[in-house]
Every structure is written in structure tokens, then in C-alpha cells.
Amino acid sequence: MDGTYFFSAFGTFGNPNGFRQSFFLGGSAAIAKELRTFDLKTDAIMLFPDNKIYGIRKDHSGGNNLISYSVYTFAKEQKSHRGGTFIGSSLVFAGKIAPENLIISVLDDFHNTLEKNNVSEGVITISHSDQFAIHKPKDFDKIGFHLQEVNDVSFTQSNGNYLVVYCETDPAKLQVMFSKSRELLNNYDTIFFTQSHEIGEFVKQKGIFKIVEPNGFEHEISRLHEERLRLVQVCLDEFKKEHRQLEEERKRLIDSLHKQIEQNEKYHKENEKKIEQSKERIGIINNEYSQYTKKTDELIKRLETDGKVEAAKKTHQENRRLFTDTISRNKTVEPLASLSAFNPGARAPMAYPGYGHQPEEYGRRKRDQEKEPQLDSFKVVSAILLLLLIVSYTLYFIFIYEPKHFGSLGL
């Protein structure tokens, strides 16, 4: 999204309004409606006369990721002498931010004018933030030409943590602090900066907000970097572990597939051998029938010539025995070895050619196909038996049914 930016001006106004904040120079109703107030938790951090607090804060409002840069100065409420009251300004960025030096310049310009127009002798002169007299900072429009992405802050959740840094807050030093602190918003929702000893002591005594000096601030950043490196290492370890597991799984799967392919190749060779043997048996059976028929024809001719019935019968019985034995040994087609599944453990449903993904329909079709070779074998055997029956009847009529015909020839 394109970056948008605007100001919020706020303060404590006493009874009946208390704390109030209003938005100026841009913004949107959706963001303004959901944005948290910039009020201070005065039991944890408190302003004193001639004191100032700067702050940086992250928010998520109106569907936008927000970073706000704020400044608070002490100001009394009308007709009240209670402590901790203030007037403040916040430059709010949605989506993108500007360089820190430009932010500080524009923020200080806006706030100085806010104090000048709405505070007199240390007392807020109006009763509500909607009545603020504000002035557009001279460099406000420059911000739009220098917006940059925010890539180092997570806006996913609010942790409710606050950090106070006791340090110098002149523009040059504050610019460095703002720049370094942005990534600390991953650990803290709000980070305050003050060079007031009174504010620092108050925060330390209350013990509600964590307070550090510059060395402690640097330690916070180092600790964040160490944690980030730790998380990177954890993520790297997970990726490397998954990489090793994938390599092991790939090796196991490929080895398994190779074994199955080798087994299938072995079955394929065995099946080819069996098919060739079956084809050879067809030739043997065909030749055996031809030889048996030929022998029978020769026997008929010899018997018609010499009339030796007993010798013919004996020869025929031997021929039939050899014929039957050869046919019996060669009439069966040896079943083929089945191939193993090629993709074990596959989760996707198997496609059945011609039937989509309907295993029941495919199963019925497959059973019908398996019956067809059995029917073919049955037809072959039936034909053989029928032929044997025809031959038997032929011999019966030749040798048994007409014995008188041979007797008339003097046998």
C-alpha cells in the first residue's frame, strides 16, 4: 500500500474531559477509530516541569501497520495542580516511514507550535484536543517524497512490553536511537527516551517499566540479534534435518523401486520363456495330430493289404498311447507370474484404463477377462477329446463292426 502519515495532538485537560487526542493533517476515520490513545501510564512514568519524553510505538489499526513517533512535554491542566499532566504530539505512519532526521525535525516543529499556541505560562489554555490551534510544519510535505518500507518489524501481535531509555535526546543522538530502536519493536510495543534524571528515577522506583541506560540499550539490541540468530539456526537445523530425511526417503524409495523393477524383469523373462514354450507346445500338438493321423492312415492301408488285425490293433494301441501321452504333456498353458505393484504407498487413487477411478467396475471387468483364457483352454481340450472320440469310432467300425467282411477274404 502507499504510505500515509498524519499528526495526532493530545493532552490532559482535567474535568470533565481528562485525556483527549485529535488527528490533524491527514489520516483516516478507520485508523482514528481503532488507534490506541497516546496517554501515559502515570503510575509507571511521569512528566515533571521542564521535562520531555520521546517515544516510538507500533500498532495495527484499521487494517494498517502503524509506527508512531511521539513527544511529550509537561503542561498543567486548568484549575488543577496535580502532577504528571502533559501536552503531546505524535507523527503517525501507516505502511511506510520517513528517515529519522526528517521525522524529528517535523515532529519538533509541530510540537513547538502546538505548545506556543495552546499553552500559556505552563497551563493548557483550551479544554479539548479538538480546539488545538496547530500549524503545518514547513517540511511536512517532504515526507511523502522520502517514504521507505518497514521490513524489520513484526506487527502480528502486541506483547504489552515497555522500555524506557535514559539517554541524551538532542536531535543527532535521538536520530541514532530511533534508528536502532525500530527493530526492538519486535520485543517492545513502546520505547520511551528521556534525558530527565527525575523521570528516570521515577521509572526506576516504580519498577513497572524496564529502564536502561545507553549500554543497556545496546545490550537489548545485541540480545535481539542473538535471539534472531538462534531462531535462524533453529530454522536452518529444521531445514537440514528435513533435507537429510528427504534424501534417506528418496534412497529407500528408489532402492525399493529398483528391486521391484528387477523382480518384474525377472518375471518378464520367465513369462517370455513360458510363452515361447507354450507356442512350441502348439507346434508339438499340431505335429502330433498330423503324425497320429498319418500313422492311422498307414495302418489302415497295411491292414487292408495284409489283413493282420491283431498286429494292427497292437500297433494302433501303441500309437494311441504315445499320442495321448504327448498331447497330455503339452495341452496345458502354464500360468504366468504376476508383476509386483510399481508404486507402493502411493496415496493418489489408481486410474483404471477405460473406467476412470472405479475399482469395482474394473474388478468385474478383470474377472471377466480372466475367465476368457480358461474358456479357451476348455475349448481346446474339448476339441482334442472330440477328435479322439471320432478316431475311436472310426477304428471301431473298421476293426470290430465289420469282421465278416475280412472273414470273406479268408482271414
Side-chain angles (χ1 to χ4, degrees), residues 62-102:
N64 296 276
N65 294 327
L66 309 177
I67 291 184
S68 306
Y69 295 84
S70 305
V71 58
Y72 301 77
T73 52
F74 179 82
K76 292 181 180 180
E77 298 170 345
Q78 296 180 27
K79 301 178 183 179
S80 174
H81 297 284
R82 71 185 184 100
T85 55
F86 57 86
I87 188 173
S89 305
S90 182
L91 181 54
V92 184
F93 291 91
K96 297 180 180 181
I97 62 171
E100 283 77 10
N101 62 329
L102 184 57

Side-chain angles (χ1 to χ4, degrees), residues 201-216:
E201 284 296 324
F202 182 87
V203 172
K204 184 177 179 180
Q205 290 175 8
K206 293 297 181 179
I208 298 174
F209 291 169
K210 183 176 183 178
I211 183 168
V212 296
E213 296 186 12
N215 288 339

